[in-house]
Amino acid sequence: MIELPTIKRVFAASRGLPAVEIVDAMHSMGLEAAVAATPSEKRSAAYERADIRTGLPVAESHIERESYVNMDWMIEAAMRVDADAIHPGYGFLSEDPDFARRVELSGLHFVGPTEHALRVFGSKTQFRQHARLSGVPVIPASRQFIFSDTKGQTGRWRGRLTKGFGTAGSIVGKGLSPGRRLPGADRLDGYSTQMVKALAGTIAERVWPMTMEGILNEAVEFIRRYGDIVVKSPYGGGGMGTVLLSDISKQIISNPEAALSTIGLAIKSANRTSERAKRRGIYFEKLIENAGHIEMQAIADKHHNVHIMGFERDCSWQFSERKMVEQSPSAKINEDERRQLQTYAKSIIREIGSHGIFTVEFLKDMKDGEIYALEVNPRLQVEHKVTEGVTWVEPGVNLRLIPVQIEIARGQRYEVFPHETQGHSVEIRVLVNVDEAAGAYLKDVVMPSGEGIHVITEFGQDLYVPGGYDGNCAKIVAYGEDADQANDRLVNALKSTRIMGAENNIDFVIANMERGEFRDGSYTTSFMKGLTPLDVFQRQ
């Protein structure tokens, strides 16, 4: 019998837009919202709206972002305000398995998935193993390499395999919980026993120590087989640790020395992301250049019920491997493909054996129609409003994912999740280009309004955007009966939006939303290829 927790006060372990959304969602549920802020952010929207507020110290480095990723400070703040649960939002600590574990050990409830799910989905290479064993195709990729001064090429396990459950064994990777059977289910370490037998210990990451010369040789062989590549850190997110080498297969032939130098720089760049995650390693993946980036939204309760929402999100408009405009549904897939993606997503989430909300991401090769699983984000997504806008849980009532997260944490059983999908939604992430250290005080900020328009902004009394963050200061979402109406509404809304004092992406998005390939939905992840920040960020 799963004990149902009492949750009346929720602490938002975040800042900016996610903190605003958590506070507003708690108020919609009649719950209390608590936040913590560094001194410079005590006039932010989330801090002003919260029922209970407390301070966060500034790190010795004077980098305020570090205050929001300090696990001790966040948990201490939550306990100081007598919270029942911690909601990590998105970004910061939202995908950190150690944070999830420490929250639960502190006696608070973590509004998110299990530590095990966070560990598996937090590594792209572990996710690939999980997806394959769930029967879902993944993009062709190399082994995972770590730098070594020796030339040995014997694979090495990061983690260990211990025996104790017959032929299945018990999977114990770095930080994974010991093998155990979960109450009321034939599962082991979050996996079905059938999968564990197939897995036979491989969920612990297998890494291959090599010199840089050896890794470069592996890269050349991979390029000869698959063509252009992506060099990836297994631990990056939001485009970090991902380096696209779109013409490297031609360069290998025309100028091998320059090609090897380019690959070496990409390897070092991706590995820096791994090192920032206190890990090591990179791998190569076949580059699918003209792809549709499609996401499915999954909801799983604590009783092993998994539901996939009807409409997908299209996140193919990206700049520097980061999403900028998202919409739902996508014109890139047909009804059969939609059902296939729903089946794939359900299989991946069911086999992880965790509760929570998840975004299962896929790439569709628009040349040959092949679909591959890319990764799972085991948290609330920035673009969750896009799904909410086209998903109706009852007449006149849209889906709201943050309240669903709270209900899941409380133990709510969703044996069925009745919903209908209709209409169209499209969202822009409003980005400002500010000084990394000083941030920027904006002026004459005008946000739009009107039928079918929803705006979320982090602005409070001060129109201040701190440095050191991603510059996503607002989201503007438009809803309509179809894609044309939703896109027209968003374009008109953006034309009435004004942000003075810093370069932003509003005029850039208006211009590109009028392009034919966006309007007919045929644009791909190469839509913004070749552009620089000078093209994207402009003063109004």
Side-chain angles (χ1 to χ4, degrees):
M1 186 75 169
I2 297 176
E3 182 181 353
L4 301 183
T6 299
I7 297 176
K8 296 181 179 179
R9 181 177 297 171
V10 177
F11 176 78
S14 193
R15 62 159 299 279
L17 292 178
V20 170
E21 294 191 81
I22 294 167
V23 170
D24 289 349
M26 295 310 100
H27 290 166
S28 74
M29 299 179 72
L31 304 180
E32 291 183 318
V35 301
T38 54
S40 71
E41 296 201 63
K42 288 189 175 181
R43 294 169 70 87
S44 67
Y47 196 82
E48 290 173 357
R49 295 183 198 177
D51 303 288
I52 300 131
R53 299 175 285 272
T54 189
L56 276 179
V58 178
E60 290 183 5
S61 64
H62 300 292
I63 299 174
E64 292 206 7
R65 187 186 189 284
E66 293 184 3
S67 299
Y68 293 94
V69 294
N70 187 305
M71 297 183 201
D72 290 334
W73 290 356
M74 279 294 176
I75 293 172
E76 288 168 4
M79 297 182 76
R80 195 160 57 242
V81 299
D82 198 25
D84 301 307
I86 290 182
H87 193 305
Y90 44 84
F92 302 102
L93 295 168
S94 62
E95 296 181 72
D96 193 313
D98 293 328
F99 183 59
R101 184 186 73 251
R102 291 174 65 174
V103 168
E104 294 288 343
L105 288 174
S106 74
L108 300 172
H109 300 289
F110 182 72
V111 183
T114 62
E115 175 192 353
H116 170 72
L118 289 169
R119 290 201 185 279
V120 173
F121 293 149
S123 164
K124 290 181 173 62
T125 49
Q126 288 196 48
F127 164 74
R128 290 173 56 81
Q129 295 174 35
H130 175 84
R132 285 198 301 267
L133 290 161
S134 301
V136 180
V138 292
I139 300 169
S142 71
R143 299 172 292 182
Q144 181 177 338
F145 305 108
I146 59 172
F147 292 108
S148 171
D149 293 331
T150 65
K151 294 186 178 181
Q153 296 188 11
T154 302
R156 192 165 67 202
W157 295 110
R158 178 178 289 156
R160 67 185 187 277
L161 177 67
T162 62
K163 299 296 179 181
F165 287 87
T167 57
S170 172
I171 297 166
V172 183
K174 181 177 179 182
L176 297 182
S177 54
R180 67 193 187 284
R181 291 198 180 276
L182 301 182
D186 185 24
R187 308 186 75 82
L188 181 68
D189 274 342
Y191 285 89
S192 64
T193 51
Q194 181 180 2
M195 176 178 274
V196 172
K197 290 176 182 178
L199 197 57
T202 57
I203 199 62
E205 291 177 300
R206 194 173 192 182
V207 295
W208 298 80
M210 280 193 181
T211 62
M212 174 61 88
E213 180 182 359
I215 298 175
L216 287 172
N217 287 334
E218 292 279 342
V220 171
E221 290 302 314
F222 191 83
I223 291 166
R224 285 175 177 164
R225 182 175 181 182
Y226 292 108
D228 294 333
I229 64 171
V230 185
V231 183
K232 285 189 172 184
S233 162
Y235 316 107
M240 295 183 293
T242 298
V243 185
L244 275 61
L245 300 180
S246 58
D247 295 313
I248 201 68
S249 58
K250 296 178 182 177
Q251 195 177 24
I252 282 285
I253 298 171
S254 63
N255 192 340
E257 185 175 344
L260 289 174
S261 175
T262 298
I263 297 168
L265 291 173
I267 289 170
K268 291 177 181 177
S269 175
N271 194 59
R272 281 194 294 272
T273 297
S274 296
E275 290 174 342
R276 281 194 290 271
K278 298 181 174 59
R279 307 294 289 273
R280 292 187 298 161
I282 60 93
Y283 69 101
F284 309 118
E285 195 172 81
K286 175 185 175 181
L287 174 61
I288 301 176
E289 194 159 17
N290 293 294
H293 188 133
I294 310 297
E295 300 178 345
M296 304 303 294
Q297 181 68 59
I299 295 172
D301 65 20
K302 292 183 177 181
H303 309 276
H304 308 295
N305 297 305
V306 178
H307 304 280
I308 310 299
M309 299 300 96
F311 278 166
E312 67 289 338
R313 294 190 293 259
D314 188 333
C315 303
S316 304
W317 184 331
Q318 301 175 10
F319 174 70
S320 294
E321 288 68 64
R322 296 191 60 206
K323 302 164 190 172
M324 185 175 290
V325 174
E326 303 97 356
Q327 61 179 322
S328 179
S330 172
K332 296 179 179 62
I333 61 173
N334 58 38
E335 193 58 41
D336 288 341
E337 289 170 324
R338 177 173 291 124
R339 284 193 291 267
Q340 183 66 75
L341 290 176
Q342 291 168 347
T343 299
Y344 283 161
K346 192 166 190 175
S347 178
I348 287 171
I349 300 307
R350 185 182 296 282
E351 287 299 343
I352 201 66
S354 172
H355 58 272
I357 68 170
F358 304 86
T359 291
V360 188
E361 303 196 7
F362 299 90
L363 282 186
K364 178 182 178 181
D365 190 330
M366 301 306 293
K367 293 179 180 178
D368 61 19
E370 293 295 321
I371 293 176
Y372 306 95
L374 184 63
E375 64 180 354
V376 170
N377 287 312
R379 55 166 170 81
L380 189 72
Q381 289 279 87
V382 176
E383 61 271 22
H384 68 97
K385 286 291 182 186
V386 175
T387 294
E388 294 177 357
V390 294
T391 308
W392 303 81
V393 293
E394 58 182 83
V397 180
N398 285 93
L399 170 71
R400 297 197 66 191
L401 285 168
I402 297 177
V404 168
Q405 287 182 290
I406 298 298
E407 294 300 340
I408 289 172
R410 284 172 161 171
Q412 174 69 43
R413 182 187 293 270
Y414 290 113
E415 290 186 2
V416 294
F417 198 96
H419 65 280
E420 293 184 0
T421 45
Q422 60 183 22
H424 196 93
S425 60
V426 58
E427 173 186 284
I428 171 184
R429 303 186 190 194
V430 178
L431 306 174
V432 292
N433 196 17
V434 299
D435 184 86
E436 180 72 16
Y441 280 95
L442 307 180
K443 56 185 179 181
D444 298 329
V445 173
V446 178
M447 287 287 125
S449 60
E451 184 178 1
I453 298 298
H454 184 76
V455 178
I456 306 154
T457 173
E458 67 178 41
F459 298 133
Q461 294 181 48
D462 288 339
L463 301 178
Y464 174 64
V465 181
Y469 302 106
D470 65 1
N472 185 191
C473 63
K475 297 188 293 187
I476 303 173
V477 194
Y479 308 113
E481 294 181 3
D482 54 31
D484 285 339
Q485 185 180 64
N487 288 327
D488 286 343
R489 284 176 172 176
L490 183 56
V491 168
N492 290 333
L494 292 176
K495 288 178 179 178
S496 66
T497 303
R498 186 172 64 206
I499 300 178
M500 309 298 288
E503 298 169 334
N504 60 69
N505 66 332
I506 292 173
D507 288 342
F508 171 80
V509 169
I510 291 173
N512 283 279
M513 284 189 71
E514 301 288 9
R515 289 169 58 179
E517 59 264 52
F518 178 77
R519 286 294 181 148
D520 65 20
S522 64
Y523 65 101
T524 70
T525 49
S526 299
F527 191 45
M528 301 287 105
K529 184 179 179 180
L531 298 182
T532 70
L534 292 176
D535 301 307
V536 174
F537 295 100
Q538 305 160 15
R539 285 190 177 270
Q540 289 184 286

